[in-house]
Amino acid sequence: MTRTAIPQRTADQLLVANRHRCCICHEPRKPVQIHHIDGNPSDHAWNSLAVLCLDHHSDATGSQGFGRNYRPSEIRLCKQKWEEQCQIWHETHDEEEDEEEDPEPMATMYKRFILKTDQTESYRFDLERGDEIAFNFSSDEPIDFLIMAQAEYERWLNDEDAKVEEEDEEILSRHDSFEAPRNGWWAIVFHNPYNEPADLEYDIATWPAD
């Protein structure tokens, strides 16, 4: 079966409807992936897609070699019940009362696309000291991944000396987080200086400091 990109609007709506959390464990601050429940990577109907953390996505697909621990019917039921709870939360949520007990991501994005040779994809976030960027990405070809202050990113773009806070070269995947060491704009960067286009999928969420 041919894998196609999930429409961005569908991905955005699904993440919001699930509060950017896995429909099985519901834990905040965990990178997530969008799972095709029936295993058809070209079926992007709402009822065919579930938001899962990396651990439960592995359990659902058996990608770690342990077999599938969740049947499609179980995942579909978890999705239905969690989305119902999230809808109630959205309807009744009082931000001032719940902010400390139940933090929500400040910004989220999920995308899958082809990062062409010599192409750079970047996003910037206005963070306070201690705010966190949680991220997960995977690619079928090596890419470079960087995090740096926005001013340093502009220097980097101009081939000037720049201070890079996080850098991985020729990497296929990573799931981790970055804590802003000071207030300001921070750039997260995907760059492909290699010969082959890369099929890149990523999830990024920014969270307020604890």
Side-chain angles (χ1 to χ4, degrees), residues 23 40 45 50 55-56 71 74 76 88 96 109 117-118 122 128 132-133 156 161 173 206 210:
C23 68
N40 182 352
D55 292 335
H56 285 112
R71 298 188 301 274
E74 293 178 289
R76 192 169 280 110
I88 294 172
E96 292 184 358
M109 57 183 59
T117 299
D118 293 328
S122 65
E128 296 182 359
E132 181 182 50
I133 304 175
W156 180 83
D161 289 338
S173 65
T206 60
D210 291 331

Side-chain angles (χ1 to χ4, degrees), residues 53-103:
C53 66
L54 302 186
D55 292 335
H56 285 112
H57 195 212
S58 177
D59 288 341
T61 62
S63 60
Q64 297 299 321
F66 300 114
R68 296 186 179 186
N69 294 328
Y70 290 95
R71 298 188 301 274
S73 58
E74 293 178 289
I75 296 173
R76 192 169 280 110
L77 182 60
C78 289
K79 165 188 168 70
Q80 177 185 345
K81 290 185 175 296
W82 176 236
E83 288 181 357
E84 288 173 354
Q85 292 179 42
C86 290
Q87 182 176 355
I88 294 172
W89 183 90
H90 282 296
E91 292 173 351
T92 61
H93 174 60
D94 186 319
E95 184 174 353
E96 292 184 358
E97 290 183 1
D98 295 346
E99 183 177 5
E100 293 186 0
E101 296 182 1
D102 203 2

Side-chain angles (χ1 to χ4, degrees), residues 11-12 14-22 26-32 51 82 86 89-90 93 95 98-110 125-127 131-135 203-210:
D12 292 343
L14 190 70
L15 290 173
V16 170
N18 286 264
R19 298 176 61 197
H20 209 100
R21 301 184 188 189
C22 172
H26 313 163
E27 292 186 25
R29 299 180 185 264
K30 292 184 71 175
V32 295
V51 177
W82 176 236
C86 290
W89 183 90
H90 282 296
H93 174 60
E95 184 174 353
D98 295 346
E99 183 177 5
E100 293 186 0
E101 296 182 1
D102 203 2
E104 292 299 296
M106 299 181 294
T108 66
M109 57 183 59
Y110 185 99
F125 303 96
D126 187 11
L127 303 176
D131 289 347
E132 181 182 50
I133 304 175
F135 56 87
D203 167 60
I204 303 171
T206 60
W207 295 86
D210 291 331

Side-chain angles (χ1 to χ4, degrees), residues 27-43:
E27 292 186 25
R29 299 180 185 264
K30 292 184 71 175
V32 295
Q33 295 177 324
I34 296 181
H35 171 65
H36 291 82
I37 297 174
D38 292 326
N40 182 352
S42 64
D43 181 2

Side-chain angles (χ1 to χ4, degrees), residues 3 9 21 36 43 49 70 92 105 134 146 150 164 170 198:
R3 183 182 184 189
R9 181 175 176 81
R21 301 184 188 189
H36 291 82
D43 181 2
L49 302 173
Y70 290 95
T92 61
L146 310 94
Q150 178 65 21
V164 178
E170 296 188 70

